[in-house]
Amino acid sequence: MKLLEIKNLSKSFNGRKVLEDISLTVEKGEVVSIIGPSGSGKSTLLRCTTFLETMDDGELSYSENPVVVSNNGRAVYPSKNELKEAKKHFSLVFQNFNLFPHFNVLKNVSDAPIHVLKREKEEVIEESMKILKKVGLEEKINSYPCELSGGQQQRVAIARALVMNPDMLYFDEPTSALDPEITAGILRIMKELAEEKMTMVIVTHEIDFARAVSDRVIFMDGGYIIEQGAPKDVIDNPSNERTKAFLKKLSV
């Protein structure tokens, strides 16, 4: 089943094209990593698919249900309520954690399912505790973000995303603000999620990680998808010169 389908997405900022004619699908259980240089449009693509930015043109569907449609070269968005329903299909883990500083760990994780999804508080708390144990933070439930390391904050962010029971998870450079030792712990959690067949779209600069966990790797540059395929093709044996040049720079 196609959990995500994008057709001919384009996006400009102040007249400058950031994304041009992007089309891709993500199947249930698939792990897709998006790599490419800074400014290639990777994060903007994620922001468009999660409705943090509006597309200029193109179509977007979740679970084979159209959400954004194209009409006369312009993206048309649905009502606020329909958009709210579409947002239940995914969760997004940000680069900079985006935790609520005045909430403790447990409240950061449990607040949205209780107040946004209107689920039973006791059930959400129980599930939140299970997920916090899974990410190794069961002893930090009463701590506040300022009392946690960057790696611990990112694990809270992952737990917060998981407790929403999304069909798929988006990660926007989840380790770029962390040092290498802490990065390893976050990548280990993401690898476990991949093994559990969680559908994930990951913008990352961790090429070895992308090679190890991805079903498919997408290389973006200049607002275009330049190349995509299995990691062994795109990372280990790229066919496009721009992909080769990017990977060569990383290995120097």
Side-chain angles (χ1 to χ4, degrees):
M1 182 187 188
K2 292 175 188 170
L3 288 189
L4 171 70
E5 184 169 20
I6 299 167
K7 291 181 183 173
N8 312 116
L9 185 160
S10 64
K11 174 69 180 173
S12 298
F13 290 113
N14 301 319
R16 186 176 69 86
K17 283 275 187 193
V18 180
L19 296 172
E20 182 68 45
D21 199 28
I22 300 286
S23 295
L24 67 95
T25 59
V26 178
E27 300 283 340
K28 184 175 173 61
E30 193 177 20
V31 178
V32 178
S33 290
I34 305 175
I35 63 171
S38 295
S40 59
K42 307 183 301 295
S43 291
T44 302
L45 176 58
L46 247 59
R47 291 180 68 81
C48 286
T49 57
T50 56
F51 311 120
L52 294 172
E53 297 283 358
T54 53
M55 299 154 45
D56 295 337
D57 191 18
E59 300 176 10
L60 190 152
S61 300
Y62 275 107
S63 296
E64 301 180 1
N65 297 309
V67 181
V68 182
V69 296
S70 178
N71 185 18
N72 292 327
R74 189 174 64 86
V76 179
Y77 280 75
S79 68
K80 195 180 276 188
N81 280 343
E82 287 173 288
L83 214 50
K84 194 176 176 183
E85 282 302 305
K87 287 177 180 177
K88 291 179 182 177
H89 287 286
F90 62 82
S91 289
L92 171 61
V93 178
F94 294 90
Q95 182 176 337
N96 295 315
F97 326 132
N98 283 25
L99 302 179
F100 293 111
H102 54 294
F103 287 178
N104 66 20
V105 165
L106 184 58
K107 191 164 171 59
N108 257 292
V109 172
S110 62
D111 192 66
I114 294 167
H115 293 106
V116 177
L117 301 182
K118 308 296 183 192
R119 286 170 55 196
E120 287 293 325
K121 185 175 180 179
E122 292 76 16
E123 174 198 310
V124 172
I125 295 293
E126 187 181 336
E127 194 176 332
S128 298
M129 292 294 290
K130 277 183 192 166
I131 292 171
L132 284 165
K133 185 174 183 180
K134 180 177 182 167
V135 299
L137 287 176
E138 68 270 37
E139 291 173 11
K140 296 285 186 182
I141 59 168
N142 296 312
S143 299
Y144 287 82
C146 64
E147 300 170 313
L148 303 176
S149 70
Q152 288 170 332
Q153 288 186 62
Q154 192 59 294
R155 281 188 272 158
V156 175
I158 292 171
R160 180 180 60 182
L162 287 170
V163 83
M164 297 295 282
N165 292 324
D167 297 329
M168 61 187 294
L169 283 179
Y170 289 104
F171 291 86
D172 188 7
E173 302 247 12
T175 60
S176 64
L178 306 174
D179 68 40
E181 194 176 330
I182 293 169
T183 290
I186 298 300
L187 296 181
R188 188 166 57 249
I189 290 168
M190 292 170 68
K191 199 168 184 180
E192 286 169 10
L193 291 172
E195 286 164 0
E196 291 166 11
K197 292 296 175 191
M198 168 59 80
T199 309
M200 295 190 281
V201 176
I202 306 163
V203 168
T204 184
H205 58 276
E206 301 284 347
I207 300 299
D208 289 341
F209 172 74
R211 181 193 285 112
V213 305
S214 307
D215 298 297
R216 185 155 43 101
V217 174
I218 293 171
F219 172 69
M220 288 184 68
D221 194 12
Y224 291 89
I225 291 177
I226 304 297
E227 189 170 354
Q228 63 175 308
K232 65 181 175 60
D233 298 323
V234 177
I235 296 175
D236 297 328
N237 192 27
S239 58
N240 190 281
E241 290 304 319
R242 281 156 85 176
T243 318
K244 288 177 186 175
F246 170 73
L247 291 166
K248 192 176 180 184
K249 228 180 262 182
L250 290 186
S251 63
V252 170

